[in-house]
Amino acid sequence: MQHCPNCGTPLQAIAKFCPGCGQRVALASSPAQQPAGDLPPTPPAPSEPAMLAGENYGSYGPNVVASTAQSSAPTSSPAHSISSPYHTPVSYTGQAPLPVTPYSVNPYDPSVDPAAGQRTPGIYTPPPYMPYTPPTPPVAIRRKRSPLLLVLLAILLIVVVGSGVSLIYYAGVALPAQANAQATSTAQAATNTANTQATGTAQAITNATATANAQATASVQQTATTRQTIYAQATNGSPVFQSSLAGPDSAGWETYDAVGGGGCYYSNGAFHADVRNKNYYVACFGLNTNYTNMVFEVNMTVLKGNTGGLIFRGNKDSLKFYSFEVGSDGTVELNASQSDGHAHNLFFDHPNVVKTGIGQANLVDVIARSSTIYFYINKQYVGQVQDTTYTSGQIGFMSLDSSSATDVAYKNARVWQL
């Protein structure tokens, strides 16, 4: 039996590689060096592969029976079995094993003991690993760019950057400036239009105001003239009644002593209405008088205290009357007395024509014409009202203590019938 010259592992007669170390081995050079029973059959010509007897390749070729040589080994030698992954095993009895072509030999099959006539187990030793050396990666070769290409790229970059800068300038500076200019122009035009319109409107308002003021002034002047004309015309004729009030006369002024002091009386060439209880008044009626449309005039002086006044269209018994009152503080008012202690205010003012203070004499006039009542102080118009509460009645004098005892003196009374 042949052995591996490298590791000494027994080799089959047909093995080309050692199953122990994988070393390639050469076949025996001549049949004389081996026993007759171990000689392999004579291989066929290279142009025609050897075929085992009875082997069928099917559709790949015809059945071919290989020629065999009679072995000199005794006929009693055990059967010899050859196994290949590419052939159907064939048993030979008393014959030398046929040669097998190199491509049909499996170098990794376990060894066979010809004496036993059966396959003996063998230990598979894989071939030694060969060290793996990875291939050396190719070295990158840097290409040299053409100078013309670099110039073109630089020009393209300059164009792109220039376009971007131009776009940014237009979007960020030129366009807003243009929009601002347009907006400024529009706003200026609108402002000019508005200013023109406002100027025209203001001028129109000024003209209208001036016209209205002129008309109002003319109206006031005309009204003032008219009111002064009313007074002048009302007092132009001869009065139907006049008295110095230094003593009793045809009017029949009542005289009496008031509770707590004071009352109605003549003193020092004047008729007095005197009240000495706070929040009370005294009324002194001309019992023989009765007027509807008339002018009642008297010279009145507050000697002390608060307020004096003229009574007209009154009724002594029911204490219903109008009273035009003038205070030492310069206030004037018209009240409609409805009963003892109850009055309804119809007019109140503080004209600058009143002489204020104690001992100051004021000429007081009341003009009652139908439902219109005019008031004059020192021959100056101070106001008027429209009222129909009372239409006719007696005239008289009064004084009011609103904070302190009040004494008012009356002189030179006159009445004009209208």
Side-chain angles (χ1 to χ4, degrees):
M1 176 176 290
Q2 187 179 359
H3 291 78
C4 177
N6 184 38
C7 64
T9 302
L11 302 174
Q12 295 180 12
I14 62 174
K16 297 176 65 177
F17 297 90
C18 175
C21 64
Q23 178 70 31
R24 180 180 181 88
V25 296
L27 297 177
S29 59
S30 66
Q33 295 176 1
Q34 298 181 2
D38 294 335
L39 293 174
T42 302
S47 61
E48 182 176 356
M51 296 289 182
L52 295 179
E55 185 172 2
N56 186 5
Y57 282 89
S59 60
Y60 297 98
N63 294 328
V64 178
V65 178
S67 61
T68 60
Q70 293 295 327
S71 173
S72 62
T75 59
S76 61
S77 61
H80 182 73
S81 175
I82 299 176
S83 177
S84 172
Y86 305 104
H87 304 281
T88 302
V90 179
S91 298
Y92 299 91
T93 303
Q95 299 179 3
L98 296 175
V100 181
T101 57
Y103 57 80
S104 63
V105 177
N106 186 355
Y108 302 105
D109 281 344
S111 60
V112 178
D113 185 3
Q118 61 184 357
R119 191 184 305 270
T120 58
I123 300 174
Y124 169 71
T125 301
Y129 290 103
M130 300 299 292
Y132 172 74
T133 302
T136 303
V139 179
I141 300 176
R142 184 175 182 179
R143 291 183 178 179
K144 295 183 179 180
R145 292 184 176 86
S146 173
L148 179 60
L149 179 60
L150 295 178
V151 172
L152 293 177
L153 290 176
I155 294 174
L156 179 60
L157 179 61
I158 293 173
V159 171
V160 171
V161 172
S163 300
V165 171
S166 300
L167 180 60
I168 292 173
Y169 174 79
Y170 178 74
V173 178
L175 185 60
Q178 183 179 1
N180 290 336
Q182 293 177 352
T184 303
S185 177
T186 303
Q188 186 63 40
T191 302
N192 293 336
T193 302
N195 289 337
T196 302
Q197 295 176 349
T199 302
T201 303
Q203 187 63 42
I205 292 174
T206 302
N207 295 337
T209 303
T211 302
N213 290 338
Q215 293 176 350
T217 302
S219 177
V220 169
Q221 292 175 350
Q222 181 179 5
T223 301
T225 302
T226 302
R227 289 166 179 170
Q228 289 305 120
T229 302
I230 291 173
Y231 172 80
Q233 292 176 350
T235 59
N236 186 33
S238 298
V240 294
F241 172 81
Q242 65 179 8
S243 172
S244 64
L245 300 177
D249 55 45
S250 61
W253 309 107
E254 61 178 342
T255 58
Y256 62 89
D257 294 330
V259 178
C264 298
Y265 57 89
Y266 294 99
S267 177
N268 297 324
F271 187 87
H272 292 255
D274 187 2
V275 58
R276 301 174 186 179
N277 292 320
K278 186 177 180 179
N279 294 327
Y280 279 82
Y281 71 93
V282 294
C284 309
F285 287 88
L287 299 178
N288 300 327
T289 62
N290 187 8
Y291 300 102
T292 299
N293 296 325
M294 51 82 191
V295 178
F296 183 23
E297 179 183 87
V298 68
N299 193 304
M300 182 186 76
T301 303
V302 178
L303 300 179
K304 63 178 182 179
N306 305 124
T307 304
L310 304 182
I311 293 175
F312 60 99
R313 291 182 177 179
N315 187 318
K316 178 186 178 305
D317 297 332
S318 62
L319 293 179
K320 292 181 179 182
F321 54 86
Y322 288 117
S323 61
F324 179 61
E325 304 170 8
V326 180
S328 59
D329 59 355
T331 59
V332 298
E333 57 184 303
L334 176 67
N335 292 305
S337 178
Q338 299 171 347
S339 64
D340 188 11
H342 296 84
H344 176 61
N345 181 263
L346 301 175
F347 178 82
F348 181 91
D349 198 5
H350 195 293
N352 56 7
V353 296
V354 178
K355 297 177 183 179
T356 60
I358 301 302
Q360 294 292 330
N362 287 283
L363 182 65
V364 180
D365 285 85
V366 173
I367 300 176
R369 178 179 291 167
S370 184
S371 61
T372 305
I373 304 173
Y374 300 92
F375 318 114
Y376 292 83
I377 303 293
N378 299 319
K379 299 183 180 181
Q380 300 296 317
Y381 172 86
V382 295
Q384 67 185 67
V385 297
Q386 295 288 126
D387 188 76
T388 58
T389 302
Y390 308 120
T391 57
S392 63
Q394 299 167 324
I395 59 174
F397 311 107
M398 55 92 62
S399 64
L400 172 66
D401 178 359
S402 57
S403 61
S404 61
T406 301
D407 182 12
V408 182
Y410 297 93
K411 294 182 176 180
N412 300 321
R414 294 189 296 176
V415 176
W416 286 268
Q417 189 82 39
L418 298 178

